[in-house]
């Protein structure tokens, strides 16, 4: 899944996001927006400019952004799910960071859980991948490593 974070006016820090939006993964089209502080409230269409709706906007450099997130994820095969923070610039996407335990933004934006029909197979595939990798290289707690 993909989520758009929109920070407050005059802020470049996405950690202070005020609006989250769901993004259609295949096309990069913003599907809906919700206020972070009131995810159960009505969806919104605009952000800072009341004359320019964000819903329906196709994000720039979307195929490159998806390819960058997939390539980054391939570098961490032991993680079934990673929340990748990407910045979309005029010249292309930039990878910010990966979060091994992403916030429940998908659930808050779409009001759908990870086991909703559209997510169930993806979530199960991530769990299966992680479990398969654990069979090859078991994870040990600190101090429980073999020979410790």
């Amino acid at each position: 899944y993909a989520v758009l974070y929109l920070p407050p006016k005059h802020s470049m820090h996405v950690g202070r996001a005020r609006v989250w939006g769901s993004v259609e993964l295949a096309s990069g089209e913003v599907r809906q927006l919700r206020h972070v502080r009131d995810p159960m409230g009505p969806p919104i269409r605009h952000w800072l400019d009341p004359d320019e709706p964000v819903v329906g906007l196709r994000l720039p450099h979307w195929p490159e952004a998806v390819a960058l997130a997939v390539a980054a994820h391939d570098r961490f095969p032991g993680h079934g799910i990673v929340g990748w923070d990407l910045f979309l610039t005029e010249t292309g996407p930039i990878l910010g960071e990966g979060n091994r335990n992403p916030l429940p933004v998908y659930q808050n934006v779409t009001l759908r859980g990870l086991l909703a029909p559209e997510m169930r197979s993806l979530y199960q595939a991530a769990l299966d991948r992680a479990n398969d990798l654990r069979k090859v290289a078991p994870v040990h707690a600190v101090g429980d490593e073999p020979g410790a």
Side-chain angles (χ1 to χ4, degrees):
Y1 65 89
V3 174
L4 174 68
Y5 285 43
L6 297 173
K9 190 174 185 176
H10 304 299
S11 175
M12 292 294 294
H13 189 266
V14 295
R16 298 180 64 199
R18 293 294 179 254
V19 170
W20 289 336
S22 66
V23 179
E24 172 64 36
L25 194 56
S27 68
E29 180 180 332
V30 178
R31 295 299 186 136
Q32 62 184 333
L33 299 175
R34 293 205 180 270
H35 283 284
V36 171
R37 293 181 187 219
D38 188 15
M40 299 303 287
I44 57 176
R45 298 188 51 76
H46 300 78
W47 181 222
L48 297 177
D49 186 342
D51 297 324
E52 293 290 330
V54 176
V55 172
L57 175 73
R58 289 193 185 255
L59 299 175
H61 306 288
W62 189 251
E64 296 93 341
V66 172
L68 179 58
V70 169
H73 191 87
D74 286 345
R75 305 287 289 172
F76 295 89
H79 295 278
I81 297 175
V82 178
W84 295 104
D85 291 350
L86 299 173
F87 298 91
L88 303 178
T89 72
E90 293 175 357
T91 58
I94 297 173
L95 180 64
E97 68 178 359
N99 299 285
R100 66 185 175 131
N101 190 13
L103 296 171
V105 291
Y106 173 80
Q107 298 92 315
N108 288 336
V109 171
T110 63
L111 301 181
R112 309 276 292 163
L114 287 178
L115 296 181
E118 69 274 13
M119 293 297 289
R120 185 179 292 271
S121 64
L122 297 172
Y123 190 57
Q124 187 61 52
L127 288 172
D128 291 346
R129 179 180 181 199
N131 287 329
D132 288 345
L133 289 168
R134 283 189 188 104
K135 291 175 189 172
V136 174
V139 176
H140 298 284
V142 175
D144 288 342
E145 298 90 356

